[in-house]
Amino acid sequence: MKRKKEIFYLVSLISGILIMFFILLPLIKMITQPSISSLKEAIKDKEVIKAISLSLYASGMAALISLIIGTPFAFLLARKDFIGKRFIESVIDLPIVIPHPVVGIAILSVVGKNYWLGEFLYKMGIKVMGSVTGIITVLTFVGMPFYINSVKDGFLSISPRIENISRTLGASMTQTFFRITLPLALKSMLVGIIMCIARAISEFGAVVIVAYHPMVAPVLIYERFEAYGLKYSQPVAVLLIIVCLILFFILRIISLTKKEKAL
Amino acid sequence: MKRKKEIFYLVSLISGILIMFFILLPLIKMITQPSISSLKEAIKDKEVIKAISLSLYASGMAALISLIIGTPFAFLLARKDFIGKRFIESVIDLPIVIPHPVVGIAILSVVGKNYWLGEFLYKMGIKVMGSVTGIITVLTFVGMPFYINSVKDGFLSISPRIENISRTLGASMTQTFFRITLPLALKSMLVGIIMCIARAISEFGAVVIVAYHPMVAPVLIYERFEAYGLKYSQPVAVLLIIVCLILFFILRIISLTKKEKAL
Amino acid sequence: MIRIKDLSIQLAGFSLDDINLNILDGEFFALMGPTGAGKTLLLEAIAGLIKPRRGKIEIDGKDVTYLPPEKRKIGIVYQDYALFPHLTVLENIRYGLHFHKIKKDEEKKRLNYLADQLKIRPILERYPENLSGGEKQRVALARALIINPKLLLLDEPLSALDPVFREEMKKELKEVHKSHKITFLMVSHDFSDVLSLAGKGAIMNQGRIEQIGDISEIFQKPISHFVADFVGMKNLFKVSFKETKAIINDAIEVETGKTLKNSYGYLAIRPEDIVISKEKLTSSMRNNFKGVVKNILNHGFYHELHIEVEKIIFKALVTKNSIIELRLEKGTTVYLSFKAASIHIL
Amino acid sequence: MIRIKDLSIQLAGFSLDDINLNILDGEFFALMGPTGAGKTLLLEAIAGLIKPRRGKIEIDGKDVTYLPPEKRKIGIVYQDYALFPHLTVLENIRYGLHFHKIKKDEEKKRLNYLADQLKIRPILERYPENLSGGEKQRVALARALIINPKLLLLDEPLSALDPVFREEMKKELKEVHKSHKITFLMVSHDFSDVLSLAGKGAIMNQGRIEQIGDISEIFQKPISHFVADFVGMKNLFKVSFKETKAIINDAIEVETGKTLKNSYGYLAIRPEDIVISKEKLTSSMRNNFKGVVKNILNHGFYHELHIEVEKIIFKALVTKNSIIELRLEKGTTVYLSFKAASIHIL
């Protein structure tokens, strides 16, 4: 019996080690392969800095847009039941499963001049294709579902009873939302913002279709790889990965402290 | 007071409608723009069929690999506490946040001939770059975290007390796993497989770096867009999106029936 | 006075039907019933948290049916306390004051009074997560009481407490009710809580009120099979009636003391209303039967006797002392007696 | 016989320390204590589901400390029943048979016996999600009993049931224990359940056993302040001793009937051991005090009197009848008496 138990553990242990190696080895190898001097060079490279800055700016804007229009919608989804709610929740998840280049093509489909929206934007002087506006549009499209789902879960985890109590004590629905619900959902909102930024910053397939220029970091990495090969793309990749890892660790810290509190 | 409440709802309603339009409009427009005849042409196009088949095959293989080595590991993570568990869980989530082209570059970093693993594979006659093997490797890398997380949650939702009871009734740990735990986790495994396939099928940035040829569907769409423009890439995109939507609806149906049972 | 008229609520998979309820000022009213009877739902409807489909709720003659909860001045204390986790105990209690125009002096007075009465002064700076169940309970009470509600709704206030604190909290609830002169409406499914706290009450079942009245009346004169069963009326027999007599199983004739019109019905007797003796009693009790003890169940403070009379089992509660004094054991022949007044015809 | 020797368990944020426990064959043993005392943890350690850090568990003289749970033949019934949701009731009950070599005839016999005894024959084909609480309870019992365990562990078996089913289930548990001749170890924090079911028991607090012995002994002679408080010993006074007398507050001299060695300690009397009368009793009771009724708390079936004697409050339980017969109310002067034998010195 003891042997059986060991086999069972052994199998899961071996598979665990395999998976760890599979994920970590390429990342570690990539990070350690470029020489320090090539990394220094990359940091000094204005094109690299510009691309990473644009990535951060556009992702941040996507998160901001998600925050402003996503938060009230998430609250509605968490608190109210209505016909078609499941359909709407499915629609919100759609951008997650659509192949990335298809996202880009879909967005271009509505901003072309042969469509009313595209014509309207053209008359307003707003350019989508090949512009920062286009990049932000794409990143909001792929990032927002993560924000809405995280915040919706946050609202759901707040007992409606707590809001009920606030109402019976004299607070209106709006007062209750700002005094009780929002402070309690703050952590899930932070998690949502970071997940949205992390998803947006890593997008490549959709961006490359809507705006090859101005170049966000993933596009720059691709271009360098295509033009100069693996070795020249690695330093930029390392810089971008560091930005992502920082976001990732902040996310982990926030969501872990949150879980601990729930215990 | 009544007015305040209405304003509160109005804001969330308007934001909801905005978000729905933002997501649905591009997709609907893209799907309805190509003529029926161009769609028919696309279906007859051998290159298109080959690319979509390859996408499905490689994603399926990624899910199969995840199933085999991910399931025991997910069980270990769900049932045992050990030092460094949080670190390991963080590592599993890493592929989700790494920018897609960087994933490709990272994988190429370890399979080059100047690294022991690359040399070993070369001697074994296994080619990664520009091969189906490479595509499957990439898709497993990006898809596996979704499988592991879903199955881990599935295992976590099974009360250890149910397994305890099985043990006291005479079943060994392995018997308990196959008779009790696995049947109860079946739905979360299915959800995990579909999520893994859906994520893998939509990957573009990492695949395009490791293997431009043989072409998976997203790469083909990109190539047609670059070479012939929006109009020629749309029919292929529509075909791919239909495949994704089918996967998505299966996923929704499974996870919704699961939730209902939990009620 | 709280007056609920024909209140109906329709929720997914659940409904309340035609609830009628009057609660006098200052009353301690208990709402009993099995899980899923709709007790909490009714509380939330009274507080304005759930919109009724039909019916009317009046407080002191004023129709509040469509008033939002923040305008009703009805406090609520949930079973799980529902404290605001991001606020300290003090902030929790003060919360309601923001929304009511109360003078600073008056605020302080109320706060001090509640802090002392409910013994929460030492924990004012703590956060809810660091409180024990009893402390949470007290804070939830203080938070609801500080705005001087007209009505306080209590949703199983004692069920989440350890038995040791339960007795203490029960006493405290009673004191709070007395000193604050507020109408209390408590949901409970624990009879001993209800018996020691409430004056009037109602029994709910499947979204309807089955019986309403004085607590003692509900326990002693259940008007339906369900209520009799729910309040532990353990002797319940189907009978046929003949003049003033009820006949069980064509064998036992029970004197009811009143002429009955129906020909069939149910007869109920509470087990504690049956007197057990070794010799036939000569007393004012009109019903005397000879039987044999079939079983003795030890319930701790009291014992339950099963006594067979003409193949019918009567259940009676006696103290441990009686068991010893009367030397009762299985097979002992005993007499059981009960007053006509103890009989309930359903 | 189950023998637990110096059992210690260390878990994140919780530990059991030096548990010693002997349970005789066929005994119904109750494990009591407040929430978080470690009762469930001890059950799981006995079943082999948690590895101890130190100590020994013996069953019938055989050391099973390092035996996996599937080799121990110890059944467990959890509070939440933990039925296998993907199996029917029948499959749930049969589950344990797969792993024990039992003849087909014997299997059928056991299954039939349990299906009848626990009244689950009509629900054999149903799935757990369609069962009521009481039915789940019965299925969980049958599932554990079918493999004829040497010991059955019950984790608060009655706490999740409605009060109506509770009485019925209590009776059933008693019958099962009697007919199956299996040792029962039950965790509970409901005194009335324990009093009516168990013979011996132990009180746990913060991972340690505070007292162990006959249930009646635990309730009547608590050996520590914690146990006295936990079992509801409501009269607990700090006293100084002088020969055979215990003196409360330098004012009340209580005759204890035995010479005491310490100079200070605690004295406890159960409220039901105090006899109340209007005239001074001439009886065998050696302690008689005159006092005034300060408060009467209605607990339903009985009332709690608070009687002040020399500024000390004694609490006594009396029936409703006594209240009426003795015409007791606040301010009434009464005599309270108790035997020296009812006094507990801690």
Side-chain angles (χ1 to χ4, degrees):
Chain A
M1 204 43 68
K2 195 119 204 192
R3 213 183 311 146
K4 258 192 186 166
K5 184 181 153 185
E6 273 164 16
I7 288 173
F8 192 81
Y9 272 118
L10 209 66
V11 168
S12 38
L13 214 65
I14 289 172
S15 57
I17 291 166
L18 263 173
I19 290 167
M20 284 294 106
F21 265 95
F22 178 52
I23 294 173
L24 282 179
L25 202 65
L27 294 175
I28 290 169
K29 184 68 192 148
M30 183 191 66
I31 289 174
T32 53
Q33 224 162 33
S35 63
I36 300 291
S37 63
S38 70
L39 280 178
K40 270 188 190 158
E41 226 170 86
I43 293 173
K44 281 180 195 150
D45 187 337
K46 271 187 190 159
E47 204 182 17
V48 172
I49 296 306
K50 216 176 121 192
I52 289 180
S53 304
L54 180 60
S55 271
L56 281 171
Y57 168 73
S59 305
M61 286 306 290
L64 188 68
I65 293 167
S66 300
L67 173 77
I68 292 167
I69 65 168
T71 309
F73 191 39
F75 184 72
L76 193 74
L77 291 171
R79 281 289 178 268
K80 292 282 155 189
D81 276 319
F82 47 84
I83 300 159
K85 187 173 166 184
R86 283 187 179 165
F87 169 75
I88 286 176
E89 287 175 330
S90 300
V91 169
I92 290 168
D93 283 347
L94 267 182
I96 300 174
V97 291
I98 293 171
H100 309 150
V102 178
V103 169
I105 288 170
I107 286 171
L108 285 188
S109 303
V110 285
V111 297
K113 261 180 279 176
N114 56 342
Y115 191 58
W116 64 264
L117 186 64
E119 210 188 312
F120 172 76
L121 291 173
Y122 180 76
K123 276 184 185 159
M124 296 286 292
I126 298 168
K127 207 180 131 202
V128 173
M129 194 162 175
S131 77
V132 176
T133 311
I135 294 171
I136 292 172
T137 308
V138 168
L139 299 194
T140 307
F141 193 91
V142 299
M144 185 143 63
F146 290 88
Y147 178 79
I148 291 179
N149 284 332
S150 165
V151 178
K152 191 183 77 181
D153 286 348
F155 286 142
L156 278 175
S157 74
I158 301 167
S159 164
R161 292 187 165 189
I162 288 180
E163 293 171 0
N164 286 350
I165 293 275
S166 166
R167 297 294 301 278
T168 62
L169 291 174
S172 71
M173 202 178 215
T174 314
Q175 285 167 327
T176 298
F177 181 77
F178 284 104
R179 281 174 176 271
I180 301 295
T181 317
L182 213 59
L184 290 175
L186 221 57
K187 266 185 182 170
S188 68
M189 287 168 70
L190 254 173
V191 168
I193 284 173
I194 292 171
M195 281 175 71
C196 176
I197 291 178
R199 174 67 186 86
I201 220 169
S202 46
E203 182 53 40
F204 165 69
V207 178
V208 85
I209 294 229
V210 173
Y212 199 103
H213 290 283
M215 269 192 212
V216 293
V219 177
L220 180 72
I221 291 167
Y222 176 69
E223 202 202 41
R224 297 234 167 152
F225 174 76
E226 288 290 298
Y228 313 107
L230 186 62
K231 221 172 169 178
Y232 292 87
S233 65
Q234 274 175 339
V236 195
V238 171
L239 286 186
L240 184 60
I241 225 176
I242 287 168
V243 173
C244 290
L245 286 183
I246 290 168
L247 281 174
F248 184 61
F249 283 123
I250 296 171
L251 174 71
R252 277 275 145 183
I253 288 162
I254 294 172
S255 50
L256 282 182
T257 50
K258 195 186 171 191
K259 265 180 201 157
E260 270 165 2
K261 248 203 157 169
L263 270 174
Chain B
M1 204 44 68
K2 195 120 203 192
R3 212 180 314 146
K4 258 190 187 167
K5 185 182 153 186
E6 272 164 17
I7 286 172
F8 192 80
Y9 272 118
L10 208 66
V11 168
S12 39
L13 213 65
I14 290 171
S15 58
I17 291 166
L18 264 174
I19 291 167
M20 284 295 106
F21 265 95
F22 179 53
I23 295 173
L24 281 179
L25 202 65
L27 295 176
I28 290 169
K29 184 71 192 146
M30 182 189 67
I31 290 174
T32 53
Q33 224 161 33
S35 63
I36 301 290
S37 63
S38 71
L39 281 178
K40 270 188 189 160
E41 226 170 86
I43 294 174
K44 282 181 195 150
D45 187 337
K46 271 186 191 163
E47 205 184 14
V48 172
I49 297 306
K50 218 177 120 191
I52 289 180
S53 306
L54 179 61
S55 271
L56 280 171
Y57 169 74
S59 305
M61 287 305 289
L64 188 67
I65 294 167
S66 300
L67 173 76
I68 293 167
I69 66 168
T71 309
F73 191 39
F75 185 71
L76 194 74
L77 290 171
R79 281 290 179 267
K80 292 282 154 190
D81 277 318
F82 46 84
I83 300 159
K85 186 173 164 182
R86 284 189 179 165
F87 170 75
I88 287 175
E89 287 176 329
S90 300
V91 169
I92 291 168
D93 283 347
L94 267 183
I96 299 175
V97 292
I98 292 171
H100 310 150
V102 179
V103 169
I105 288 171
I107 287 172
L108 286 187
S109 303
V110 285
V111 296
K113 261 180 279 179
N114 56 343
Y115 190 59
W116 64 265
L117 186 65
E119 210 187 315
F120 172 76
L121 290 173
Y122 179 76
K123 274 182 185 162
M124 295 287 291
I126 297 169
K127 206 180 131 201
V128 172
M129 193 159 173
S131 77
V132 176
T133 312
I135 293 170
I136 293 172
T137 308
V138 169
L139 300 193
T140 307
F141 193 91
V142 298
M144 184 142 63
F146 291 88
Y147 178 79
I148 292 179
N149 285 333
S150 165
V151 178
K152 191 182 78 181
D153 286 348
F155 286 142
L156 278 174
S157 73
I158 301 167
S159 164
R161 293 189 164 187
I162 288 180
E163 292 171 0
N164 285 350
I165 293 275
S166 166
R167 299 292 302 279
T168 61
L169 291 173
S172 71
M173 202 179 217
T174 314
Q175 285 167 324
T176 299
F177 181 77
F178 284 104
R179 280 173 177 271
I180 301 295
T181 316
L182 213 58
L184 290 176
L186 222 56
K187 267 187 179 166
S188 67
M189 287 169 71
L190 254 172
V191 168
I193 285 173
I194 292 172
M195 281 175 73
C196 176
I197 291 178
R199 174 66 186 88
I201 220 169
S202 45
E203 181 54 38
F204 165 68
V207 178
V208 86
I209 295 230
V210 173
Y212 200 104
H213 290 282
M215 269 192 214
V216 291
V219 176
L220 181 71
I221 291 167
Y222 176 69
E223 202 202 42
R224 296 233 167 153
F225 174 77
E226 288 290 297
Y228 313 107
L230 185 62
K231 218 169 172 182
Y232 292 88
S233 64
Q234 274 175 339
V236 195
V238 171
L239 286 186
L240 184 60
I241 225 176
I242 288 168
V243 172
C244 288
L245 286 182
I246 291 169
L247 282 174
F248 183 62
F249 284 122
I250 297 172
L251 174 72
R252 277 276 144 180
I253 288 161
I254 294 172
S255 49
L256 283 183
T257 51
K258 194 185 171 192
K259 266 182 202 155
E260 271 166 2
K261 247 199 158 171
L263 272 175
Chain C
M1 185 170 150
I2 318 295
R3 185 193 296 272
I4 296 166
K5 266 189 200 161
D6 300 325
L7 193 74
S8 293
I9 292 172
Q10 191 76 43
L11 284 186
F14 201 81
S15 66
L16 288 186
D17 299 308
D18 296 319
I19 301 289
N20 283 289
L21 210 61
N22 292 331
I23 304 174
L24 295 177
D25 283 339
E27 206 161 58
F28 200 132
F29 193 97
L31 204 57
M32 291 162 280
T35 313
K39 295 167 297 195
T40 303
L41 197 61
L42 180 54
L43 289 200
E44 294 190 331
I46 293 171
L49 299 161
I50 290 173
K51 290 270 160 292
R53 201 176 50 142
R54 216 179 41 233
K56 212 169 164 182
I57 301 170
E58 279 177 15
I59 300 180
D60 296 338
K62 198 180 140 204
D63 185 350
V64 301
T65 319
Y66 295 99
L67 221 55
E70 60 266 33
K71 296 285 177 192
R72 295 197 185 191
K73 285 204 104 181
I74 295 179
I76 189 163
V77 173
Y78 280 112
Q79 187 179 6
D80 58 0
Y81 319 120
L83 298 179
F84 305 132
H86 60 307
L87 302 180
T88 63
V89 167
L90 182 61
E91 289 164 343
N92 261 281
I93 298 173
R94 288 185 56 89
Y95 185 82
L97 296 174
H98 297 296
F99 311 104
H100 295 85
K101 276 167 202 144
I102 300 167
K103 281 188 190 144
K104 285 277 161 213
D105 286 6
E106 174 64 17
E107 278 191 22
K108 247 186 198 159
K109 219 181 90 192
R110 288 191 198 172
L111 204 61
N112 280 326
Y113 181 68
L114 285 168
D116 289 335
Q117 186 183 35
L118 291 163
K119 294 165 211 146
I120 39 186
R121 200 174 284 287
I123 55 169
L124 284 176
E125 297 307 318
R126 283 206 241 158
Y127 280 90
E129 58 178 344
N130 303 320
L131 301 181
S132 72
E135 288 168 339
K136 282 180 189 167
Q137 177 80 269
R138 289 198 178 89
V139 176
L141 262 176
R143 180 177 61 177
L145 289 169
I146 204 159
I147 60 161
N148 275 345
K150 286 175 202 148
L151 170 66
L152 187 62
L153 307 168
L154 299 151
D155 186 15
E156 306 210 14
L158 302 163
S159 68
L161 297 176
D162 263 336
V164 188
F165 299 113
R166 213 169 158 139
E167 283 302 310
E168 212 180 310
M169 208 56 225
K170 221 192 274 185
K171 228 181 289 173
E172 216 139 73
L173 263 186
K174 215 167 183 167
E175 271 173 35
V176 166
H177 177 247
K178 237 187 240 167
S179 56
H180 286 258
K181 297 191 181 79
I182 291 169
T183 315
F184 275 33
L185 172 52
M186 175 179 80
V187 157
S188 176
H189 62 226
D190 187 302
F191 301 140
S192 74
D193 293 350
V194 170
L195 277 164
S196 57
L197 287 173
K200 294 208 169 192
I203 306 262
M204 283 187 78
N205 186 32
Q206 298 190 321
R208 292 177 175 280
I209 288 185
E210 289 263 341
Q211 185 168 358
I212 187 164
D214 284 348
I215 293 293
S216 57
E217 203 183 295
I218 293 175
F219 277 72
Q220 278 156 22
K221 294 178 189 163
I223 58 165
S224 72
H225 200 131
F226 172 80
V227 176
D229 204 40
F230 185 75
V231 300
M233 189 71 91
K234 292 192 178 200
N235 294 299
L236 188 71
F237 308 107
K238 197 163 195 300
V239 290
S240 56
F241 298 122
K242 200 182 146 189
E243 289 162 11
T244 65
K245 289 197 166 67
I247 301 153
I248 311 171
N249 214 14
D250 288 335
I252 306 175
E253 290 199 356
V254 175
E255 176 59 51
T256 64
K258 52 196 158 195
T259 314
L260 297 146
K261 285 171 187 169
N262 297 342
S263 50
Y264 290 96
Y266 284 92
L267 180 150
I269 312 158
R270 299 190 72 77
E272 58 267 40
D273 285 342
I274 295 180
V275 175
I276 303 296
S277 56
K278 276 302 249 301
E279 272 93 51
K280 193 167 177 174
L281 291 179
T282 46
S283 73
S284 65
M285 283 182 280
R286 299 216 239 162
N287 291 295
N288 283 275
F289 302 101
K290 189 176 173 179
V292 174
V293 175
K294 282 287 165 188
N295 210 351
I296 302 177
L297 298 174
N298 181 358
H299 286 298
F301 293 124
Y302 56 93
H303 287 62
E304 183 180 326
L305 293 181
H306 292 190
I307 299 158
E308 192 181 274
V309 180
E310 305 275 350
K311 287 175 188 158
I312 298 293
I313 297 285
F314 283 83
K315 290 170 187 170
L317 294 186
V318 296
T319 62
K320 206 173 184 173
N321 280 341
S322 308
I323 299 277
I324 298 162
E325 279 167 24
L326 299 173
R327 269 162 288 134
L328 298 179
E329 50 191 44
K330 277 190 204 177
T332 309
T333 300
V334 294
Y335 286 88
L336 53 86
S337 318
F338 46 89
K339 297 180 198 166
S342 303
I343 292 168
H344 313 295
I345 303 296
L346 314 178
Chain D
M1 184 171 154
I2 318 295
R3 186 192 296 269
I4 296 166
K5 267 190 200 164
D6 301 325
L7 192 75
S8 294
I9 292 172
Q10 192 76 44
L11 282 188
F14 200 81
S15 66
L16 287 186
D17 300 306
D18 296 319
I19 301 289
N20 282 288
L21 209 61
N22 292 330
I23 304 175
L24 295 177
D25 283 341
E27 208 161 56
F28 201 132
F29 194 97
L31 205 55
M32 290 162 280
T35 313
K39 296 166 296 190
T40 304
L41 197 61
L42 180 55
L43 289 200
E44 293 190 332
I46 293 171
L49 298 162
I50 290 173
K51 291 270 159 289
R53 200 175 53 141
R54 214 174 47 230
K56 213 170 164 181
I57 300 170
E58 278 178 16
I59 300 179
D60 296 340
K62 198 181 141 203
D63 185 350
V64 301
T65 319
Y66 296 100
L67 221 54
E70 59 265 32
K71 295 285 180 193
R72 293 196 186 191
K73 287 203 104 183
I74 295 179
I76 189 162
V77 174
Y78 280 112
Q79 188 179 4
D80 59 0
Y81 320 120
L83 299 179
F84 305 133
H86 60 308
L87 302 181
T88 64
V89 167
L90 181 62
E91 289 165 344
N92 261 280
I93 299 172
R94 288 185 56 89
Y95 185 82
L97 295 173
H98 297 295
F99 311 104
H100 294 86
K101 276 167 201 146
I102 300 166
K103 280 186 192 148
K104 286 278 161 213
D105 287 4
E106 174 65 17
E107 279 193 19
K108 248 186 199 158
K109 219 181 89 192
R110 287 192 199 171
L111 203 60
N112 280 325
Y113 180 70
L114 286 168
D116 290 333
Q117 185 181 33
L118 292 163
K119 295 167 211 145
I120 39 186
R121 200 173 286 286
I123 54 168
L124 283 176
E125 296 308 319
R126 284 206 241 158
Y127 280 90
E129 57 176 345
N130 303 319
L131 301 181
S132 72
E135 288 169 339
K136 282 182 189 166
Q137 177 80 270
R138 290 198 178 90
V139 175
L141 262 176
R143 181 178 61 177
L145 289 169
I146 204 159
I147 62 161
N148 275 347
K150 285 175 202 148
L151 170 64
L152 187 63
L153 306 169
L154 298 152
D155 185 15
E156 307 211 14
L158 301 165
S159 68
L161 297 177
D162 263 336
V164 188
F165 300 113
R166 214 167 157 140
E167 283 302 309
E168 211 181 312
M169 209 57 223
K170 220 192 274 186
K171 227 181 288 173
E172 216 139 75
L173 262 186
K174 214 166 185 172
E175 270 173 35
V176 166
H177 177 247
K178 237 186 238 169
S179 56
H180 285 257
K181 296 189 181 79
I182 291 170
T183 315
F184 275 32
L185 172 51
M186 175 180 80
V187 157
S188 176
H189 62 225
D190 187 302
F191 300 140
S192 75
D193 292 351
V194 170
L195 276 163
S196 57
L197 287 172
K200 294 209 168 189
I203 305 262
M204 283 188 79
N205 185 33
Q206 299 190 320
R208 291 176 175 280
I209 288 184
E210 288 265 341
Q211 185 167 358
I212 187 164
D214 284 348
I215 293 293
S216 58
E217 204 183 295
I218 293 175
F219 277 73
Q220 278 155 23
K221 295 179 189 164
I223 58 166
S224 71
H225 200 129
F226 172 80
V227 177
D229 204 40
F230 185 74
V231 300
M233 189 71 92
K234 294 194 175 196
N235 295 299
L236 189 70
F237 308 107
K238 199 164 192 301
V239 291
S240 57
F241 298 121
K242 199 180 150 196
E243 290 164 10
T244 66
K245 289 198 167 64
I247 300 151
I248 310 171
N249 213 15
D250 288 335
I252 305 175
E253 291 199 356
V254 175
E255 175 60 49
T256 66
K258 50 198 160 197
T259 314
L260 297 146
K261 284 171 187 170
N262 297 341
S263 51
Y264 291 95
Y266 284 92
L267 178 151
I269 311 158
R270 299 190 71 80
E272 57 268 40
D273 285 342
I274 296 181
V275 176
I276 302 297
S277 56
K278 275 300 246 305
E279 271 93 51
K280 194 166 179 176
L281 291 178
T282 45
S283 72
S284 62
M285 285 183 280
R286 296 216 240 161
N287 291 296
N288 282 276
F289 301 101
K290 188 178 173 179
V292 174
V293 176
K294 282 287 165 189
N295 210 350
I296 303 179
L297 298 175
N298 182 358
H299 287 299
F301 295 123
Y302 54 92
H303 287 63
E304 185 180 323
L305 293 181
H306 292 191
I307 299 158
E308 192 181 273
V309 180
E310 305 276 350
K311 287 177 190 157
I312 299 292
I313 297 286
F314 283 84
K315 290 168 189 169
L317 293 186
V318 296
T319 62
K320 205 172 183 172
N321 281 339
S322 307
I323 298 279
I324 297 162
E325 278 168 25
L326 298 173
R327 270 162 286 133
L328 298 180
E329 50 192 43
K330 277 192 202 176
T332 310
T333 301
V334 294
Y335 286 88
L336 54 86
S337 319
F338 47 89
K339 297 181 197 167
S342 302
I343 293 167
H344 314 295
I345 303 296
L346 313 178

